[in-house]
Amino acid sequence: MTSDLLAPLDLAFWNIESAEHPMHIGALGVFSADSPTAAAHAADLLAARAAAVPGLRMRIRDVWQPLDLRRPLAFGGAAREADPEFDPLHHVRLHAPTADFHVDAGRLMERPLKRGRPPWEAHVLPGADGVSFAVLFKFHHALADGLRALTLAAAVLDPMDMPPPRPRPVQPPSRGLLPDVRRLPGLLRGALSDAGRALDIGASVAASTLAMRPVPALTAESTGTRRTAGVVIDLDDVHRVRKTVGGTVNDVLIAVVAGALRRWLDERGDGSEGVAPRALIPVSRRRPRTAHPQGNRLSGYLIRLPVDEPDPLGRLGAVRAAMDRNKDAGSHRGAGAVALLADHVPALGHRLGGPLVSQAARLWFDILVTSVPLPSLGLKLGGNPVTEVYPLAPLARGQSLAVAVSTYRGRVHYGLVADAKAVPDLDLLARALAEEVETLIEACGP
């Protein structure tokens, strides 16, 4: 049976998981239903199609192979391999009708995926109204990042025209246990450069930790419970703000989060004065056309959200300046690039240190704000079109809220995941997001 070793960052995600802090990403897609049996038909289609998708048959198992001098960092790692007993019925489930898709999604997101099976699930939720249904996809972060998850989900939806991935270059065969001596100068320079980069990232992480001022509402003690919410805004409104003020669409979307947090903290009585939480903005280091190969390729930017800034355009200006500084420095340096340090940790270190690392997330950042790309083409299942799609990010230990954003067919979808007990008023934050967009539009003038 062939297998492929997990990349270092995948291995990190696999080992920092606990029963209370599952490391799966999700997406809640809402479909219009053309008949009362559309949801049941969708579940049958998902199960039938999943059996033919190789990436959905992959399970993850521990590897204790003999130490290989060519790959010393792999000892004690884990690998993906095809599950010979794969049964799609273990992964696709049809639920009872529900009046609120997000209530059910939150309950399902708090359940860890079974580690002995391919780590993914698809939950079909019929709408109590009879004219809609939803599908919650869950993929372990060790199996797929956002782009890879999109590829796997698209494979079980109705066929659509997707650009084919570029073929990977063929690597020359190894010549033995030791590298070619002609390559040693280049390898040495690369090693020194990597070491310098790792030290730079480590120093930045330490500096950001020393300067931290925890936001209690965002870093409450974890309970393992989950709640989700979703907000849809018009992409034209975002472009209107961007064209008036400048910057990027992403700058506007992050500024909306900052303004919404300000409203939410003030409404719940916590107050926003002096609050500037550290937001981790993941950055994909993989091009869209190379989404097929497995393995997370992520870095990130770390910025202070200007929650304490009363002027909405001032908040947007501060976000834009912070993002510009990060882009000038590059995604391979700074505290936000800490994910790159996974490459410098032996597999055995990930295995033994995973529980410790999982507890350090609250020292590094307060909130995750991530963007998940979606195709511009319409998604369908059994001929039923997707009307809404909410990306859902995992929650690290000691963090109460994560925000994911996707743009789909002219609308922006915010997917919110929160610790249900720490953030019982997540709907207030969702409302604040929509209100902040209106505030920005008014601030831009006619």
Side-chain angles (χ1 to χ4, degrees):
M1 180 182 298
T2 60
S3 62
D4 112 80
L5 288 172
L6 293 188
L9 187 54
D10 299 340
L11 188 61
F13 286 133
W14 188 245
N15 282 290
I16 65 176
E17 179 176 68
S18 67
E20 296 77 21
H21 302 90
M23 290 303 299
H24 51 253
I25 58 178
L28 180 67
V30 180
F31 298 76
S32 63
D34 58 9
S35 73
T37 61
H41 179 52
D44 292 339
L45 281 176
L46 291 173
R49 292 171 179 174
V53 180
L56 296 178
R57 304 175 65 93
M58 303 299 287
R59 66 183 181 186
I60 296 175
R61 66 176 179 86
D62 293 334
V63 175
W64 291 98
Q65 61 185 23
L67 187 61
D68 186 339
L69 294 181
R70 290 169 296 185
R71 308 183 74 177
L73 298 182
F75 178 68
R80 298 182 190 86
E81 66 179 14
D83 184 355
E85 300 178 354
F86 174 71
D87 184 350
L89 296 180
H90 290 155
H91 301 265
V92 179
R93 298 167 190 171
L94 177 64
H95 294 258
T98 178
D100 190 326
F101 295 133
H102 279 289
V103 168
D104 283 41
R107 174 176 52 82
L108 293 168
M109 282 294 288
E110 69 186 42
R111 300 180 184 177
L113 295 165
K114 293 186 180 299
R115 292 172 74 92
R117 297 174 180 166
W120 68 274
E121 291 174 351
H123 297 271
V124 182
L125 309 171
D129 56 11
V131 297
S132 65
F133 67 91
V135 178
L136 173 67
F137 287 103
K138 294 168 55 178
F139 296 96
H140 198 287
H141 224 326
L143 178 70
D145 60 7
L147 284 171
R148 176 65 176 163
L150 170 62
T151 303
L152 292 173
V156 292
L157 297 178
D158 292 355
M160 63 179 184
D161 295 327
M162 291 283 287
R166 293 177 181 174
R168 286 186 288 181
V170 177
Q171 299 294 328
S174 173
R175 294 178 178 271
L177 294 179
L178 297 177
D180 189 329
V181 293
R182 292 170 295 182
R183 299 174 57 210
L184 284 177
L187 291 172
L188 181 59
R189 285 194 298 271
L192 291 174
S193 176
D194 287 347
R197 186 179 301 125
L199 289 173
D200 182 64
I201 294 171
S204 298
V205 171
S208 71
T209 301
L210 291 174
M212 68 174 291
R213 180 186 174 187
V215 182
L218 302 179
T219 55
E221 193 62 37
S222 302
T223 66
T225 58
R226 293 293 181 269
R227 181 187 301 272
T228 75
V231 181
V232 181
I233 62 176
D234 196 318
L235 183 58
D236 287 342
D237 290 338
V238 177
H239 280 301
R240 177 180 172 185
V241 174
R242 178 190 62 81
K243 291 176 181 178
T244 302
V245 181
T248 68
V249 166
N250 203 39
D251 294 341
V252 177
L253 297 179
I254 295 171
V256 168
V257 173
L261 287 174
R262 177 182 176 83
R263 292 171 179 270
W264 176 63
L265 290 172
D266 287 343
E267 286 185 18
R268 72 194 328 241
D270 292 339
S272 58
E273 184 177 354
V275 174
R278 298 159 303 165
L280 176 64
I281 316 293
V283 177
S284 175
R285 301 176 67 238
R286 174 187 297 159
R287 296 179 180 178
R289 287 181 176 270
T290 61
H292 179 70
Q294 295 171 342
N296 280 278
R297 294 188 58 80
L298 292 172
S299 182
Y301 299 145
L302 196 67
I303 73 169
R304 290 275 182 178
L305 293 180
V307 172
D308 54 351
E309 169 58 58
D311 177 33
L313 296 184
R315 289 193 292 271
L316 177 52
V319 167
R320 179 183 176 186
M323 290 296 287
D324 286 345
R325 287 194 297 270
N326 274 282
K327 292 172 186 176
D328 289 343
S331 61
H332 61 289
R333 288 191 179 275
V338 72
L340 300 181
L341 295 180
D343 293 337
H344 302 276
V345 178
L348 189 58
H350 284 296
R351 182 186 294 272
L352 299 177
L356 294 176
V357 172
S358 69
Q359 299 181 42
R362 72 164 70 186
L363 300 178
W364 171 30
F365 63 96
D366 301 300
I367 183 173
L368 177 73
V369 183
T370 184
S371 177
V372 181
L374 289 177
S376 57
L377 300 174
L379 301 171
K380 296 182 179 181
L381 179 57
N384 301 287
V386 171
T387 58
E388 304 165 30
V389 56
Y390 302 99
L392 303 172
L395 278 184
R397 181 185 297 272
Q399 293 180 331
S400 305
L401 177 68
V403 181
V405 193
S406 283
T407 300
Y408 177 68
R409 310 209 79 182
R411 301 200 297 174
V412 177
H413 294 75
Y414 282 94
L416 309 179
V417 177
D419 185 290
K421 294 185 178 179
V423 187
D425 54 352
L426 187 62
D427 289 343
L428 292 180
L429 178 59
R431 186 183 68 193
L433 284 165
E435 292 173 346
E436 181 63 16
V437 175
E438 295 300 322
T439 298
L440 278 170
I441 293 173
E442 291 175 3
C444 290

